[in-house]
Amino acid sequence: MTLHQIMVLGAGLVFIAAGAVVSQVFRLLGPTYYTRVTAHWTVRGFFFAASLILVGRGLILIFPGEAISVAQMSPWVLLSGIVALGMALVLLEWAMRDRAPPPWSARLLGLAAKRGASPAAVAEIAMALPAQPHGDPASEHQPCRCVRLCMIWGAVITIAAVVAIILNSAATAMPG
Amino acid sequence: MTDILHAVPTWAAFWGLCGGLLFGATGLVTAYSAKVGNDIARRKAWLHLGLGVVAGPILAEALTPSILTLAPAFDMRFVAVVLGWVGGSDPRGLFTLAKTMIFRVLGAPQGEQR
């Protein structure tokens, strides 16, 4: 395994990781995660395409076939992969923010102001409103900590196993 | 037994399974995280994992040969893993969009029954 081959495989992994993070950003911006930031469907569509493009970019570095030549790959590819991963992580942090209060609470505040409440009183009502749009639903059931950790660890081990299989296949079939 | 072990990585379905597993597992990590997880997300994440495990190999096995005839320079494993990843993400909207675009390009009258 020469250093160049390690760099090629590393660049591929970095791009795949960036694609995976952007795919989660796409999920977080959708209706499934209703307590988090949502975005317009064009923005979500762009993130869906972006995750596919990033995963494809990473995979073609790992399994080049005859489509591209990785023998002359420059280190800039690895660096731009790291940039893509970093920006995807920042996007992920943004997409995990709480949603703003829905329009109806703003209308309630307008109603209160119209009924003659002073600006200070309106501000107090605004501060007292819950941050989430409709609070926690009655059936909100968080599984206990060990179930959650087991699921996450299982998923991480699965991802590591699949990545190991991919890397092993790429390394054994690599020319030179 | 070792024959099978050596033959499996040549199947497109195996690499499609890898792609679907990758996609499903990352969805599980997000859904079970303390910060953003909720009930609906957890159920959907398991569904996407199941979809990736089932539809990934099927899509890969079905479409890899045709894609490889169109573009023989690609490595079979690359095409299969990408197809497995796409299969896990429930691309029915993508298919509807592609169908609409193809119909528009072919000039077929809108609303045609097939």
Side-chain angles (χ1 to χ4, degrees), chain B residues 11-21 52-53 55-58 60-61 77 80-81 83-85:
Chain B
W11 299 342
F14 172 72
W15 294 108
L17 177 68
C18 284
L21 263 183
V53 163
I58 294 178
E61 197 64 54
R77 296 168 293 177
V81 176
L83 282 175
W85 179 280

Side-chain angles (χ1 to χ4, degrees), chain A residues 37-114:
Chain A
V37 172
T38 43
H40 197 248
W41 63 268
T42 48
V43 173
R44 283 191 82 210
F46 169 72
F47 283 138
F48 183 73
S51 81
L52 273 184
I53 291 171
L54 283 171
V55 167
R57 179 99 184 91
L59 273 175
I60 200 146
L61 285 175
I62 296 185
F63 295 134
E66 286 139 35
I68 68 174
S69 158
V70 293
Q72 261 80 41
M73 192 189 92
S74 90
W76 287 108
V77 179
L78 174 63
L79 290 177
S80 46
I82 294 176
V83 167
L85 179 60
M87 301 193 85
L89 287 172
V90 170
L91 261 181
L92 182 70
E93 199 268 338
W94 168 76
M96 290 203 295
R97 304 238 176 113
D98 282 335
R99 264 173 69 173
W104 57 257
S105 53
R107 298 185 71 152
L108 272 181
L109 292 176
L111 200 61
K114 218 183 278 187

